[in-house]
Amino acid sequence: MKIRFQADADLNEEIVSGLIRQESTVDFQTASEAKLRGLADEEVLQIAMRDKRILVTHDRRTMPGHFAKFIANEDSPGVFIISQRESVRSAINELLLVWTASEMEDRTNLIVDLPL
């Protein structure tokens, strides 16, 4: 199955729109579309799992701990953490590379820092 992305509420939306402009067939849902604003990390992870989407976030502070607790009981499509210091262009290129080169099943229960 092709990778589907879910933006966390803290993700720079220029990354989402830029990736879709670069490759229109990428399925990348914004936090607003998924109604994630104001939800706890655990709820966000649950929604991403339910919708079979890899969560893309800048949240390096709290998300890794919540993700570790989550996958102790549930399978997750995975989480990508993009450094806030990373340029929008670089983040888009990294996501496009991962989207092109892998499938959803390759990322199950993994948390990945981008850039690779």
Side-chain angles (χ1 to χ4, degrees), residues 3-4 18 35 56 67 72 74 97 108 111:
I3 288 178
R4 300 170 63 209
K35 298 177 177 46
V56 183
F67 182 72
E74 304 270 358
L97 175 65
T108 300
I111 190 165

Side-chain angles (χ1 to χ4, degrees), residues 3 80 93-102 107 114 116:
I3 288 178
F80 291 163
N93 289 340
E94 287 287 321
L95 289 169
L96 184 58
L97 175 65
V98 171
W99 181 83
T100 302
S102 58
R107 304 299 171 177
L114 295 179
L116 296 172

